[in-house]
């Protein structure tokens, strides 16, 4: 049975039974078992490359359940425990840093309003929570976007253009800065739909399309390379961690004819 | 009651929005406390929202099991995987040397990495379709993508020693220009939507119905 005191205990030394459990899960046998399970699940997930099949769907649903449970537990320990449960029950915080703060009941009630969406006829209460949450963050975001994103990005786009060109390096800088400035501006024009894209505006808009296409192509290529490096990582796991370097070496010798 | 359902949320969004906006320009201790107080409360609310999301997920899968819908066995796997993970996670925490940490290392990480690695195959096949140069725009996409890909692998060095430099130039200039244009557009839209929410013009967060 879950014990509330254990759930809410502070990050302190593990209890003896927790320690022996930790030792067990990191024993050689459990590491070997883990490697086999990881290899099996890796193959299950890779099987989708051929086509959708029960092994992949098993892995997919297992992943969904495990990730939901893991992320919920992580959120509980990192956020809910220190920011909600400790202020309500400070005696559970063995560090003694937390004092009683009943104000956290307000976000608790607002949070419950979201869960009330599951009860027919009570769902409207969640509007109060969303208004509080979205309204507050909107007020926070507005000056931050203006000061921290919009103006610095405009400034950085214009600021790269050198005042004068006296050397080859400065000419390269000027060309790069103009590519950035014209590209960014033309993309903005492309997304500006209040004016018909004809004549000069249409021409600038076309430059915007090409800039976007080059950007998407480059990002696409970059993403493929990132995914391929992940693929190499999984292959290395299967070949060296699971099958073993020695066996892979022997197979390689067979193929290369000694 | 109608006031609480319709007008009160809009008023609350206005008050919260204006308070947090004005707070930014008040260099006082209480202003800072207001900011941290609000963000801490938001963290708690997010926790409850996560619980709601999990309940919805379980509700969906339990419904499938109850109706014996096609493939309901997979829903049983999701439910069992979630229940065992949440129990292990809450009882032993999610630190590396715990059962939940063990599952994270040997189940969650390999499956996640493999899922993203599998995308390499699907992106490659999508690229085959997308990179057919039917128009000049598609040609620009094709050339930029190929240069970035080839410029970042050893074969690129064999073709031309400048290919890597050119790939970097594409990433740092035209690519940055395209994404900066998008970022500026998003920032402008964020400002516009923020003003609309604060003044109650944008009310989609309230959902439909009464």
């Amino acid at each position: 049975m879950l014990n509330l005191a254990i759930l809410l205990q502070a990050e302190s030394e593990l209890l003896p039974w927790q320690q022996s459990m930790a030792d067990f899960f990191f024993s050689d046998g459990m590491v070997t078992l883990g490697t086999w399970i990881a290899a099996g699940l890796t193959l299950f997930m890779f099987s989708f490359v051929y086509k959708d099949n029960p092994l992949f769907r098993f892995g997919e649903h297992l992943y969904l359940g495990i990730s939901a449970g893991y992320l919920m537990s992580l959120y509980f320990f990192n956020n809910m425990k220190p920011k909600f449960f400790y202020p309500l029950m400070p005696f559970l915080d063995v560090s003694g840093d937390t004092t009683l703060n009943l104000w956290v009941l307000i976000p608790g009630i607002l949070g419950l309003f979201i869960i009330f969406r599951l009860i027919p006829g009570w769902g409207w209460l969640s509007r109060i929570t969303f208004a509080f949450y979205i309204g507050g963050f909107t007020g926070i975001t507005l000056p931050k976007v203006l000061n921290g994103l919009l103006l610095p990005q405009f400034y950085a786009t214009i600021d790269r253009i050198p005042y004068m060109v006296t050397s080859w390096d400065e000419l390269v800088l000027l060309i790069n800065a103009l590519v950035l400035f014209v590209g960014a501006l033309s993309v903005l024009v492309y997304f500006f739909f209040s004016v018909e894209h004809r004549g000069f505006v249409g021409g600038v808009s076309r430059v915007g399309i090409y800039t976007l296409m080059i950007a998407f192509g480059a990002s696409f290529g970059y993403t493929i390379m990132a995914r391929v490096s992940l693929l190499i990582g999984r292959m290395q796991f299967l070949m060296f961690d699971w099958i073993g370097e020695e066996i892979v070496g022997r197979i390689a010798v067979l193929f290369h004819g000694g | 009651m109608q006031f609480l359902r319709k007008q009160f949320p809009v008023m609350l969004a206005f008050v919260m929005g204006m308070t947090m906006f004005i707070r930014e320009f008040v260099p006082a201790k209480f202003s800072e406390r207001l900011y941290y107080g609000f963000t801490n409360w938001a963290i708690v609310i997010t926790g409850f929202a996560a619980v709601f999301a999990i309940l919805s997920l379980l509700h969906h899968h339990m419904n499938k099991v109850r109706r014996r819908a096609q493939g309901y066995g997979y829903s049983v796997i999701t439910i069992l995987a979630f229940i065992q993970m949440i129990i292990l996670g809450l009882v032993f925490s999610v630190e590396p040397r715990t059962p939940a940490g063990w599952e994270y290392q040997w189940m969650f990480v390999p499956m996640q990495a493999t899922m993203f690695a599998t995308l390499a195959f699907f992106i490659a096949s999508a690229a085959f379709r997308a990179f057919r140069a039917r128009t000049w725009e598609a040609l620009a996409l094709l050339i930029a993508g190929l240069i970035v890909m080839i410029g970042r692998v050893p074969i690129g060095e064999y073709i031309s020693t400048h290919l890597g430099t050119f790939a970097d130039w594409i990433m740092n200039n035209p690519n940055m220009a395209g994404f900066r244009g998008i970022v500026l557009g998003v920032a402008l839209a964020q400002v516009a939507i923020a003003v609309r929410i604060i003044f109650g013009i944008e009310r989609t967060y309230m959902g439909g119905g009464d």
Side-chain angles (χ1 to χ4, degrees):
Chain A
M1 200 178 100
L2 295 183
N3 182 331
L4 194 66
I6 293 173
L7 281 181
L8 302 173
Q9 78 182 13
E11 288 75 16
S12 57
E13 288 291 307
L14 290 177
L15 299 171
W17 62 274
Q18 287 174 316
Q19 185 59 53
S20 48
M21 185 71 84
D23 291 342
F24 170 72
F25 272 94
F26 274 81
S27 62
D28 286 348
M30 288 306 282
V31 170
T32 308
L33 180 68
T35 308
W36 276 84
I37 289 175
L41 292 173
T42 300
L43 292 174
F44 283 9
M45 301 312 265
F46 268 138
S47 67
F48 188 69
V49 175
Y50 172 58
K51 68 175 184 182
D52 195 5
N53 64 79
L55 293 178
F56 170 75
R57 299 198 81 188
F58 171 83
E60 185 190 26
H61 284 77
L62 185 70
Y63 174 72
L64 181 63
I66 283 181
S67 58
Y70 180 78
L71 294 174
M72 275 301 291
S73 306
L74 195 68
Y75 198 85
F76 174 82
F77 283 104
N78 288 348
N79 298 301
M80 292 304 275
K81 201 165 78 162
K83 296 197 190 302
F84 184 66
F85 290 106
Y86 279 176
L88 285 179
M89 295 172 272
F91 55 90
L92 291 169
D93 183 5
V94 287
S95 68
D97 294 339
T98 316
T99 51
L100 184 69
N101 178 10
L102 292 176
W103 287 105
V104 294
L105 281 173
I106 296 173
I109 292 166
L110 288 171
L112 278 177
F113 283 176
I114 297 179
I115 295 174
F116 284 171
R117 285 176 74 92
L118 294 171
I119 307 170
W122 288 60
W124 64 271
L125 279 167
S126 64
R127 288 177 183 175
I128 296 171
T129 310
F130 292 140
F132 177 84
Y133 192 96
I134 292 170
F137 273 115
T138 302
I140 290 174
T141 308
L142 192 53
K144 284 200 192 307
V145 168
L146 283 170
N147 286 328
L149 186 65
L150 198 60
L151 297 177
Q153 289 279 326
F154 270 124
Y155 183 75
T157 308
I158 298 165
D159 191 46
R160 276 177 57 163
I161 301 170
Y163 294 109
M164 58 170 66
V165 176
T166 53
S167 65
W168 174 253
D169 285 348
E170 281 176 348
L171 182 68
V172 172
L173 274 179
L174 176 70
I175 292 167
N176 290 345
L178 285 177
V179 166
L180 185 67
F181 178 72
V182 173
L185 197 70
S186 58
V187 169
L188 277 178
V189 171
Y190 172 68
F191 285 119
F192 189 66
F193 298 114
S194 300
V195 176
E196 206 175 342
H197 289 189
R198 278 185 178 181
F200 177 71
V201 177
V204 176
S205 163
R206 276 209 78 69
V207 176
I209 295 175
Y210 280 103
T211 309
L212 279 175
M213 284 299 156
I214 292 170
F216 290 149
S219 302
F220 199 86
Y222 193 76
T223 309
I224 288 182
M225 298 317 288
R227 296 288 180 263
V228 168
S229 73
L230 268 176
L231 180 65
I232 292 167
R234 294 322 297 157
M235 288 301 168
Q236 281 180 333
F237 167 76
L238 287 176
M239 286 168 69
F240 300 122
D241 293 1
W242 181 48
I243 298 174
E245 214 161 329
E246 197 186 321
I247 296 171
V248 171
R250 284 184 194 171
I251 295 169
V253 167
L254 277 177
F255 275 97
H256 286 287
Chain B
M1 196 61 103
Q2 202 64 10
F3 168 76
L4 274 177
R5 283 174 187 235
K6 293 209 163 174
Q7 282 86 18
F8 180 68
V10 179
M11 283 167 62
L12 183 63
F14 175 77
V15 170
M16 286 306 298
M18 286 310 284
T19 308
M20 298 313 285
F21 177 72
I22 294 167
R23 181 216 66 81
E24 186 76 16
F25 306 99
V26 181
K29 197 81 183 163
F30 80 88
S31 164
E32 205 174 298
R33 279 174 56 193
L34 185 67
Y35 175 79
Y36 287 110
F38 174 77
T39 47
N40 280 343
W41 282 20
I43 286 169
V44 174
I45 292 172
T46 308
F48 280 93
V51 171
F52 173 73
I54 293 297
L55 288 175
S56 298
L57 177 82
L58 291 177
H59 180 71
H60 169 76
H61 284 285
M62 279 175 174
N63 260 347
K64 274 182 88 173
V65 175
R66 204 175 298 127
R67 286 187 288 109
R68 296 283 189 274
Q70 196 185 7
Y72 75 92
Y74 300 118
S75 294
V76 174
I77 291 164
T78 300
I79 294 165
L80 291 179
F82 172 77
I83 291 171
Q84 63 84 30
M85 189 55 154
I86 197 93
I87 291 173
L88 290 177
L90 291 179
V91 173
F92 304 109
S93 96
V94 285
E95 299 295 317
R97 295 180 68 85
T98 59
W102 186 89
E103 283 194 22
Y104 174 78
Q105 186 181 348
W106 298 112
M107 296 169 95
F108 179 86
V109 171
M111 280 195 283
Q112 190 175 45
T114 312
M115 226 180 249
F116 284 112
T118 313
L119 287 180
F121 294 101
F122 297 109
I123 286 183
S125 83
F128 183 72
R129 288 190 292 273
F131 281 3
R132 271 181 294 188
R134 287 189 183 139
T135 58
W136 288 107
E137 289 92 337
L139 186 69
L141 189 99
L142 166 72
I143 292 170
L146 283 179
I147 289 170
V148 169
M149 276 192 286
I150 297 170
R152 286 176 185 278
V153 287
I155 198 171
E157 283 289 308
Y158 289 116
I159 296 168
S160 166
T161 48
H162 300 295
L163 211 56
T165 317
F166 192 45
D168 285 341
W169 182 83
I170 288 178
M171 289 305 290
N172 293 333
N173 293 285
N175 177 55
M176 194 195 275
F179 282 101
R180 185 157 292 175
I182 293 172
V183 166
L184 286 171
V186 168
L188 286 167
Q190 267 185 304
V191 171
I193 211 88
V195 172
R196 284 170 63 90
I197 287 173
I198 290 174
F199 289 104
I201 303 163
E202 179 68 50
R203 299 179 189 191
T204 41
Y205 62 85
M206 297 211 341
D210 288 330

